[in-house]
């Protein structure tokens, strides 16, 4: 009987030990979840309370203006934890160098709180939509610029020590009206869309840029960013108005270019950030209907510039080429080109 009682006592002890370990684990898990939920509710309540407080909005406007050295105002802060959205933003400044007047419909930010706990500033999502900016660069003396560059100095930046601050970007409908008083030039630039995303299975950050120099040229670029080592990109450039290029041609030669209808370029580029080198895996340049060139290129170093390139010229139809060159051939020679390429 004593032996049986001892065995029973041992079994109860073992059962209590196993049950106790699981029990405390469950208690800790429930406690942790409750604490995390309470923390999230508290943050949401505080942010929502602050966002509905007009004094808080005024404070943010003031701090943003002080940090940027510009006049910054916005209409409303909306909080949808963990995202924060600013609407109807106005940024303006008028300094000795430039005059800026920008209106932005919406800016939405979602910070990465886990990265913040590790001491890094990372934006999980940044969205900017519908912006119109007037930027006027004022004419300044080149000596003033040189003095400022000397004062600022130049140092080596170690990108490996910097965490890329964005996980995803979505920017659309951005318009920039740019004027330069020094060069008497003006450009209307439009960014239709720029996006950046991240993958859980790859270190690459896919991106896409679609923009245009309104009325003159368009650009589309797609590729991957491998921070901080390299950037790959497939670039397509199309000239919308060939007359913009013809204006740089001497008047005596413009009549020979009447048959040119357009121009475009494509290239696959691999830029190595670490050693500041570029490899163009392939490129295609076309001046319709006359010229088509393809090839490869490499810039192993930028300073001093070192360039290696190869090019292949596609056949040109005689019917397209002869009208351009015939006036350079003296008529007494009786030279004529027909058919072929």
């Amino acid at each position: 009987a004593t032996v049986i009682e001892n065995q029973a006592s041992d079994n109860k002890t073992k059962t209590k030990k196993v049950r106790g370990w699981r029990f405390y684990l469950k208690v800790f898990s429930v406690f942790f979840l409750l604490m995390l939920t309470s923390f999230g509710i508290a943050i949401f309540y505080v942010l929502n309370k602050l966002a509905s407080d007009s004094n808080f909005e005024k404070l943010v406007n003031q701090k943003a203006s002080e940090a940027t050295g510009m006049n910054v105002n916005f209409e409303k802060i909306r909080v949808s934890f963990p995202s924060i959205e600013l609407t109807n933003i106005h940024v303006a400044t008028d300094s000795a160098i430039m005059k800026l007047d920008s209106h932005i419909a919406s800016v939405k930010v979602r910070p990465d709180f886990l990265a913040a706990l590790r001491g890094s500033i990372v934006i999980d999502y940044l969205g900017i939509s519908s912006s119109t900016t007037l930027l006027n660069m004022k004419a300044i003396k080149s000596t003033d610029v040189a003095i400022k560059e000397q004062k600022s100095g130049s140092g080596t930046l170690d990108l490996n020590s910097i965490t890329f601050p964005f996980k995803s970007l979505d920017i659309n409908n951005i318009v920039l009206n740019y004027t330069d008083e020094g060069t008497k030039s003006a450009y209307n630039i439009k960014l239709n869309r720029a996006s950046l995303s991240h993958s859980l299975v790859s270190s690459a950050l896919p991106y896409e840029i679609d923009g245009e120099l309104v009325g003159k040229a368009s650009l589309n670029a797609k590729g991957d960013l491998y921070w901080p080592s390299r950037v790959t990109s497939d670039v397509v450039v199309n000239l919308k108005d060939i007359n913009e290029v013809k204006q740089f041609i001497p008047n005596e030669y413009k009549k020979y270019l009447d048959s040119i209808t357009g121009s475009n370029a494509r290239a696959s580029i691999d830029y190595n950030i670490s050693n500041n080198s570029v490899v163009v895996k392939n490129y295609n340049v076309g001046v319709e209907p006359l010229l088509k060139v393809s090839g490869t290129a490499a810039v192993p170093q930028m300073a001093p510039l070192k360039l290696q390139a190869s090019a292949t010229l596609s056949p040109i139809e005689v019917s397209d080429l002869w009208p351009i060159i015939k006036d350079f051939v003296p008529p007494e020679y009786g030279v004529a080109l027909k058919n072929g390429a």
Side-chain angles (χ1 to χ4, degrees), residues 49-63 74 77:
K49 188 70 176 176
L50 289 174
S52 60
D53 188 349
S54 60
N55 291 326
F56 176 69
E57 293 179 355
K58 293 178 181 178
L59 178 62
V60 174
N61 278 325
Q62 178 184 346
K63 295 299 182 183
F74 59 87
I77 296 180

Side-chain angles (χ1 to χ4, degrees), residues 212-223:
E212 59 182 301
L213 194 58
V214 178
K216 296 178 174 61
S218 65
L219 178 144
N220 183 272
K222 296 180 181 179

Side-chain angles (χ1 to χ4, degrees), residues 176-230:
L176 172 63
N177 295 312
Y178 174 85
T179 58
D180 190 326
E181 293 181 359
T183 60
K184 306 297 182 183
S185 57
Y187 302 99
N188 185 6
I189 303 169
K190 184 177 181 181
L191 179 62
N192 298 314
R193 178 129 195 270
S195 63
L196 176 79
S197 58
H198 72 284
S199 172
L200 297 176
V201 297
S202 173
S203 61
L205 297 172
Y207 68 88
E208 181 177 359
I209 300 172
D210 180 20
E212 59 182 301
L213 194 58
V214 178
K216 296 178 174 61
S218 65
L219 178 144
N220 183 272
K222 296 180 181 179
D224 295 306
L225 169 63
Y226 299 87
W227 183 265
S229 57
R230 53 191 280 262

Side-chain angles (χ1 to χ4, degrees), residues 165-334:
F166 301 105
K167 284 188 175 181
S168 60
L169 294 171
D170 188 10
I171 304 173
N172 60 81
N173 195 24
I174 307 298
V175 177
L176 172 63
N177 295 312
Y178 174 85
T179 58
D180 190 326
E181 293 181 359
T183 60
K184 306 297 182 183
S185 57
Y187 302 99
N188 185 6
I189 303 169
K190 184 177 181 181
L191 179 62
N192 298 314
R193 178 129 195 270
S195 63
L196 176 79
S197 58
H198 72 284
S199 172
L200 297 176
V201 297
S202 173
S203 61
L205 297 172
Y207 68 88
E208 181 177 359
I209 300 172
D210 180 20
E212 59 182 301
L213 194 58
V214 178
K216 296 178 174 61
S218 65
L219 178 144
N220 183 272
K222 296 180 181 179
D224 295 306
L225 169 63
Y226 299 87
W227 183 265
S229 57
R230 53 191 280 262
V231 182
T232 64
S233 186
D234 291 324
V235 182
V236 178
V237 178
N238 288 298
L239 290 182
K240 293 186 176 182
D241 187 359
I242 195 64
N243 292 322
E244 291 292 330
V245 177
K246 290 180 181 180
Q247 67 179 339
F248 299 103
I249 306 298
N251 292 328
E252 60 268 27
Y253 298 113
K254 284 184 178 180
K255 63 179 182 179
Y256 304 121
L257 304 179
D258 290 339
S259 59
I260 295 178
T261 58
S263 179
N264 60 78
R266 297 172 179 267
S268 295
I269 303 170
D270 192 332
Y271 172 57
N272 191 308
I273 303 174
S274 304
N275 58 21
N276 198 25
S277 63
V278 178
V279 173
V280 181
K281 296 179 179 178
N282 60 76
Y283 67 85
N284 293 276
V285 178
V287 180
E288 303 296 340
L290 300 175
L291 182 64
K292 294 180 181 180
V293 182
S294 61
T296 62
V299 183
Q301 64 183 43
M302 294 291 186
L305 181 63
K306 186 177 181 181
L307 173 65
Q308 301 168 347
S310 65
T312 301
L313 181 66
S314 298
I316 301 174
E317 295 292 332
V318 168
S319 59
D320 295 325
L321 180 63
W322 180 242
I324 295 176
I325 66 173
K326 67 179 182 179
D327 290 342
F328 295 94
V329 180
E332 60 269 22
Y333 291 169

